Amino acid sequence: MTVALWAVVPYIALTIFVVGHVWRWRVDQFGWTSRTSQVLESRLLRLGSPLFHLGAFAAIGGHVLGLLVPKTWTEAAGVDEHLYHLVSVSAGTVAGLMVVAGLALLLARRLTNPRIRRATTRADKVLFTVLAAVILLGMTATVGQNLLGGGYDYRATIAVWFRGVLTFHPDPGLMADVPLIFQAHALSAWLLAAIWPFTRLVHVWSAPIAYLWRPYVVYRRRTARPAPARPFEREGASRR
Amino acid sequence: MRVMAQVAMVMNLDKCIGCHTCSVTCKQTWTNREGVEYVWFNNVETKPGVGYPKRYEDQERWRGGWQLDARGRLKLRAGGRVKRLLNLFANPDLPDLDDYYEPATYDYDTLINAPAGPHTPVIRPKSAITGQDMAITWGANWEDDLGGAPEHAPADPNLAAMAEKVKLEFDKTFMFHLPRICEHCLNPACVAACPSGAMYKREEDGIVLVDQNRCRGWRMCVSSCPYKKVYVNHKTGKAEKCTFCFPRIEAGQPTVCAETCVGRLRYIGLILYDADAVLDAARAADPRDLLEAQRGVFLDPDDPAVVDAARASGISDDWIAAAQRSPIYRLAMRYRVALPLHPEYRTLPMVWYIPPLSPVLDAVTGVGADADDPDNVFHAITDLRIPLEYLASLFSAGDTEVVAGVLMKLSAMRAYMRARTVDGTVATDLLEPAGMAASDMEEMYRLLAIAKYDERYVVPAAHREDAAALAAQADGCSLDGDGGPGMSGFHPSGVTGRRGDGRLGLKLFIGKGTAS
Ligand code: SF4
Ligand code: SF4
């Protein structure tokens, strides 16, 4: 059972995640979008969406710090357990509250606004359910255990196991005695990874960072035909 | 000098009767689909009026187009790149559906299915978005022919800028129709604002398009276009816009809106321009210099140096010949009667307008004078500040002299041709104030009044060798699919298919009739 949950499930999820993305990228460029609904409703979105996204960035940053950076590194950098705990719990709580508040607003507009409700697809419903589960379980873990409860040093168990999964040396035993709430959070996150490529979440990978240095006006040739003395160097080249 | 060719349009506003044929045929061709019910690539609005979407010309609110920063550099009005990336999560400048209008349909089935009874069954409007009952309170041309204007038109941003207030009482006002499509600008703000690089300007003919496969739904183009001519398809979540009917243009045909225009007031032709000069022109310090700056970018297709440079830039001889016959070049550059719409947005728009003389003529008739006497009209043009100021705020960044000059030419042409045909005399006295030679005057008259199809539309076909390459390369078109504007029944083979909104799904789960 331990092996099934903590060594098999992660790889199934990761396989679906990777293969799913490759498949979707290749066959469905037309469906690859954030599917914005701001035109249909913008009042709640203008508050909810930035809260959710910025909170999510902070939370993801926190997870990278907590899961991928080994404890020994932070200690070598002079951050002791107490300081780490203080920072991670306070920042994590703030980020979590932002995410929860943002998600609540976004869900409220999906449920109460008839325009948005009608534009909600089956994939959206699955996505919102799983996302809400991941977030609420994560918040319960952070607030319940680490802020109000005695605290749990996930960096000694979960983080080591997670790095093991990513480096193909999984040690499922590490997860056996982890508190239930953390286990549930981790499992729901694998589920999220597995449905990811089939939802609008794919827009995350299209974050348009290249825009920062691209020339403003993009020119493209209609065809790939080689022409005498073409004005531009190559197809798709963009110039000011 | 880097010569590029651009297909451009001119509309002669005096002839527009506001019949909306252009809008309807355009909609039937491109936007009669779910997700774009509210979208009109071509719309006709009555001026003065708030327009579609409401008050789109108010750039303080919508922040479309470009502006100069303190150091005279060109900046998108919506802010720098970093700022706009931060606004990806919620775009503060995006109009929402109510700024356009909520599209409606009717429950027509009631007429057939209602049980027999004493009363005739009636149909009720249903929202095309929610399916619920709705009251229709706005539309794309709600103020048609100034209907409701006393109530709504004062919100027209062009009026707000005027010193004297326009009287909107029925008999003291003026009006005209303004058909609008995408301007296919030389310096398109929509393309510059697109974070994904999905929007592009075609090198060959300057048509501005959205690559449906690369659009990720960031909707920055919608707010950055000062003319609000990019729209969100709320089903597919992608941006769509006027295509200048590029499949027709490639085949040497005019756009659908031009082809079907009842007033025959649209002209299509090529402009050769210097791509290297575009940015400098858009940077002119005084907005009133933008018109001349843009004219300065256009190249004279009869100049041998330009012809050589065009050939060197890869423009073929038949295209150069077409540029030499271009009605657009004649109207904008030779006769100088066509003007750009809102040059102050600095996008260098390429759909130009011949401003209407009718507001002035109406005013002359309104005071009981003879609108056929050129002297009356000349005086009215300079004395009647109101229509002139209004037209200037639309077509010349507020410079009334430019608009007055055009109107003078148009009324001189009327008087000149009247003398020619009615009295059989040549009114040389009318030529000098208009600054035109007799031959130009008569050619302009011919082009504006009686030009036939192939004089109004000089569209060189795309090259056949290109078309063959295009066909060989294409194994499907992003415009196809049930959710796309092509709708020609493209379905990916295998186990997947497109749903009605263009999303991909397993065929098992797709309802009947959407995918085969
Ligand atoms: S008018 Fe057309 S080309 Fe110009 S900014 Fe708007 S959408 Fe772009
Ligand atoms: S079809 Fe022609 S005359 Fe009719 S509204 Fe359109 S532009 Fe005007």
Side-chain angles (χ1 to χ4, degrees), chain B residues 15-23 44 179 257 260-263 265-266:
Chain B
K15 291 207 208 172
C16 180
I17 57 173
C19 63
H20 299 272
T21 306
C22 47
S23 306
V44 183
C257 55
T260 59
C261 174
V262 171
L265 57 90
R266 297 190 184 216

Side-chain angles (χ1 to χ4, degrees), chain B residues 47-226:
Chain B
K47 287 288 176 188
V50 299
Y52 158 83
K54 290 177 201 155
R55 293 178 58 78
Y56 69 92
E57 290 155 297
D58 179 2
Q59 304 311 338
E60 299 289 312
R61 166 69 188 88
W62 303 114
R63 304 175 157 280
W66 303 85
Q67 64 184 5
L68 297 182
D69 69 4
R71 288 160 55 194
R73 289 173 311 182
L74 209 53
K75 281 269 140 66
L76 285 174
R77 197 183 265 267
R81 296 170 193 249
V82 175
K83 177 175 171 206
R84 260 164 320 108
L85 283 196
L86 290 175
N87 280 338
L88 277 189
F89 312 121
N91 181 346
D93 310 323
L94 191 77
D96 64 25
L97 195 65
D98 297 314
D99 292 308
Y100 299 89
Y101 67 101
E102 179 151 1
T105 180
Y106 289 89
D107 51 350
Y108 294 106
D109 284 351
T110 314
L111 295 182
I112 300 161
N113 299 337
H119 304 296
T120 315
V122 290
I123 49 175
R124 276 169 308 179
K126 303 268 184 203
S127 164
I129 308 288
T130 65
Q132 295 169 355
D133 283 337
M134 66 173 282
I136 300 178
T137 56
W138 197 257
N141 58 325
W142 193 252
E143 309 158 295
D144 217 2
D145 295 345
L146 293 185
E151 194 183 327
H152 298 293
D156 179 340
N158 297 297
L159 292 182
M162 289 172 53
E164 257 178 287
K165 286 298 158 234
V166 174
K167 299 201 179 50
L168 289 159
E169 289 119 63
F170 182 66
D171 52 342
K172 290 189 195 137
T173 186
F174 65 92
M175 59 153 263
F176 59 96
H177 301 284
L178 182 67
R180 294 198 303 122
I181 63 172
C182 163
E183 302 276 349
H184 297 274
C185 308
L186 294 185
N187 184 30
C190 57
V191 175
C194 170
S196 326
M199 292 191 73
Y200 60 98
K201 190 167 179 66
R202 301 211 298 189
E203 277 175 31
E204 290 88 347
D205 51 19
I207 294 178
V208 175
L209 294 173
V210 186
D211 183 338
Q212 291 291 309
N213 276 344
R214 287 181 65 186
C215 171
R216 303 291 179 234
W218 302 127
R219 47 165 161 42
M220 286 295 155
C221 51
V222 179
S223 56
S224 284
C225 169

Side-chain angles (χ1 to χ4, degrees), chain B residues 35-49:
Chain B
V36 283
E37 306 91 342
Y38 75 102
V39 170
W40 297 83
F41 290 167
N42 181 109
N43 76 292
V44 183
E45 49 203 43
T46 301
K47 287 288 176 188

Side-chain angles (χ1 to χ4, degrees), chain A residues 1-13 161 164-165 169-177 183 187 190:
Chain A
M1 183 66 182
T2 308
V3 174
L5 281 184
W6 308 114
V8 178
V9 166
Y11 286 114
I12 293 178
W161 159 77
V165 170
H169 295 292
D171 180 0
L174 285 168
M175 290 298 286
D177 298 320
Q183 290 190 341
L187 283 178
W190 288 124

Side-chain angles (χ1 to χ4, degrees), chain A residues 23-36:
Chain A
W23 168 79
R24 180 104 188 258
W25 180 261
R26 294 182 51 163
V27 303
D28 189 26
Q29 281 296 314
F30 185 53
W32 194 287
T33 155
S34 59
R35 291 200 68 234
T36 172

